Amino acid sequence: MEAGDKERRLSNLVSLVLKLGISISVVLVGVSLILLIATGQGKATAIPPADQLVSRVLRLDPLAIITLGILIILLTPCLQVIVAAVNFIINREKLYLTISLTLLLFLTFSFILAFT
Amino acid sequence: MQSIALDEVNLWLTGGIGFAAGLLGSMLGIGGGFFMVPLLTLALRLPIHIAIASSLVAIVVTSSTAAITYTKAGLTNIKLGMLLETVTVPGAIIGALVAVILAPTILSITFGVVLIYAAYSMIASRPRVADAILLKGNVAETDDAYIDILSRHEDCQCKRNISQITGCTINHVPQGLAASFMAGIFSGLLGIGGGTIKVPAMTLIMKLPIKIAIATSSFMVGITATAGALIYFYHGYIYPIIVAPLIIGAFLGAKLGSELTQRATGTLLRYTFAAVISIIAVLMLLQCTIQSQ
């Protein structure tokens, strides 16, 4: 595969990941916002605690679903880095694989900090 | 952290701020934080730390939405973006950690000063001069003009295609890395994507054509903003009721903006960028003056 084709494939993959991540999160946030307005919840506090998030999402709590949408938004750039890393593995581009993994390390650190 | 009631938030105004930021931000290769943070503090009277946190989340949406179009068009130098992000992300984490302990006034003043510098940088930049080539009667004297002509004449027998321009030789990488690190710090500190520093760095220092710089910046900004947003997430500054309308507005604005950018010239983008952020700089400094009285 020529260099130009490799670049094009990577570009298409990254574009697809971004499209899926942003689309899903925007739909979740939009629908939940409408539900929140419709149910007219009194006090809308900050992000629900992590240990309650899943149960509240399953109960279709609008605030929890918005939070899930926000988390998907924050995960999407990380996914684009993962996709790029996988692409570099396939193309045996060690330098850029190293760069991608370094970036993922920093992002993982941020996620761990956010949830501790 | 304080509670914010649903009826205390003007959802339409918040969405409108997001839309404007998304529209202008996607056209200029920035996340829109330079518009969102001042408008959220001025118009909605939100504490600046909440405004910064909200802005960072919305920036991920605006930049990623713009990046979808640019990446698909082959304008994004993904490898360069990944390289620069290895220093931008640590910078964003550091900036956010500093911001949560800083006083709001100091943040606002810093905001205004950085904006003035970024406006000056864009006006002072000169387009890179490429080999002149005759394309169906049009002479492209710069890479910006070359890209414009290529986008209108996809079937022409051209000396280079867009991917070759995107993957062109990059100059002064160490200096570009240093600038990206600073962009990361300001991103985490001020709730911006860092594109206002990254784009001038890529055009002035690394000599990229402006559309490639904008496309690559859009790719990078989402990653940078994510790192900073997670720090504010940990400190409890993210409020779903504020972030939600901001995200929706930003998404719609960015969708429109990325389509309009394809039709704009490089020079027009550069001068529009400088003019808009100059206005925002004045607004922020005025806010500091009012608050200090």
Side-chain angles (χ1 to χ4, degrees):
Chain A
M1 188 181 282
E2 292 183 12
D5 292 334
K6 287 180 186 177
E7 301 298 336
R8 184 166 295 278
R9 186 176 73 174
L10 177 58
S11 295
N12 289 338
L13 281 170
V14 167
S15 181
L16 180 63
V17 165
L18 289 173
K19 194 181 283 188
L20 283 173
I22 297 303
S23 301
I24 291 169
S25 56
V26 166
V27 166
L28 280 175
V29 169
V31 169
S32 304
L33 184 61
I34 293 169
L35 271 174
L36 193 64
I37 296 167
T39 55
Q41 290 189 9
K43 282 276 183 193
T45 63
I47 297 282
D51 55 348
Q52 296 177 19
L53 186 62
V54 174
S55 58
R56 286 173 68 169
V57 167
L58 292 173
R59 288 202 308 268
L60 300 181
D61 175 0
L63 206 65
I65 297 175
I66 291 174
T67 303
L68 177 64
I70 291 170
L71 287 173
I72 292 174
I73 286 169
L74 297 178
L75 271 171
T76 299
C78 303
L79 285 173
Q80 81 187 43
V81 176
I82 291 171
V83 162
V86 170
N87 186 77
F88 294 138
I89 290 173
I90 293 169
N91 294 325
R92 298 176 192 275
E93 293 183 87
K94 290 181 184 172
L95 172 62
Y96 289 102
L97 175 60
T98 306
I99 289 168
S100 313
L101 292 176
T102 305
L103 198 46
L104 274 172
L105 197 65
F106 289 133
L107 289 169
T108 305
F109 169 74
S110 298
F111 266 101
I112 291 170
L113 193 63
F115 287 98
T116 51
Chain B
M1 289 292 160
Q2 66 189 86
S3 289
I4 298 177
L6 180 61
D7 53 6
E8 291 174 22
V9 180
N10 187 327
L11 296 175
W12 287 107
L13 182 58
T14 309
I17 290 170
F19 181 82
L23 177 68
L24 292 167
S26 65
M27 292 183 75
L28 303 169
I30 60 177
F34 271 131
F35 312 116
M36 276 188 280
V37 174
L39 291 176
L40 288 173
T41 56
L42 287 167
L44 295 179
R45 301 199 177 277
L46 288 178
I48 193 165
H49 289 94
I50 295 176
I52 289 171
S54 306
S55 170
L56 283 171
V57 179
I59 279 167
V60 178
V61 174
T62 59
S63 62
S64 299
T65 305
I68 291 167
T69 307
Y70 293 136
T71 307
K72 207 160 169 59
L75 291 171
T76 306
N77 192 324
I78 293 174
K79 289 178 176 175
L80 175 63
M82 302 274 278
L83 174 63
L84 296 177
E85 280 298 295
T86 56
V87 295
T88 316
V89 164
I93 293 170
I94 292 168
L97 289 170
V98 170
V100 294
I101 60 174
L102 278 182
T105 308
I106 295 175
L107 285 175
S108 296
I109 292 170
T110 308
F111 214 101
V113 169
V114 170
L115 278 168
I116 291 169
Y117 173 75
Y120 165 75
S121 296
M122 286 312 282
I123 291 172
S125 69
R126 294 288 180 268
R128 190 173 94 155
V129 178
D131 297 330
I133 183 165
L134 193 66
L135 300 170
K136 291 196 173 183
N138 300 291
V139 177
E141 292 180 345
T142 65
D143 274 350
D144 291 323
Y146 201 114
I147 292 169
D148 288 337
I149 291 170
L150 273 177
S151 63
R152 293 197 298 272
H153 301 286
E154 291 177 359
D155 60 340
C156 77
Q157 297 300 310
C158 303
K159 192 175 175 183
R160 294 178 291 163
N161 57 34
I162 284 183
S163 66
Q164 287 171 315
I165 297 173
T166 306
C168 60
T169 303
I170 310 296
N171 301 289
H172 306 298
V173 172
Q175 293 90 329
L177 284 167
S180 291
F181 179 69
M182 292 308 300
I185 288 180
F186 284 113
S187 171
L189 190 68
L190 303 176
I192 60 175
T196 42
I197 298 171
K198 291 172 190 171
V199 172
M202 281 191 272
T203 54
L204 294 174
I205 298 172
M206 306 180 85
K207 308 299 183 189
L208 262 70
I210 189 156
K211 282 197 174 178
I212 306 296
I214 287 172
T216 306
S217 172
S218 293
F219 169 83
M220 293 168 64
V221 160
I223 302 170
T224 310
T226 293
L230 287 167
I231 303 299
Y232 287 93
F233 188 104
Y234 167 72
H235 285 90
Y237 283 117
I238 291 183
Y239 286 77
I241 194 58
I242 296 165
V243 173
L246 204 63
I247 286 170
I248 302 300
F251 174 74
L252 295 173
K255 284 291 277 183
L256 180 61
S258 60
E259 293 300 324
L260 293 176
T261 302
Q262 300 295 315
R263 300 170 206 167
T265 65
T267 305
L268 177 63
L269 286 171
R270 197 161 41 244
Y271 281 94
T272 303
F273 177 87
V276 171
I277 63 174
S278 296
I279 294 168
I280 298 295
V282 170
L283 282 174
M284 284 301 290
L285 293 170
L286 275 174
Q287 183 193 37
C288 294
T289 309
I290 292 166
Q291 284 179 343
S292 64
Q293 289 175 348

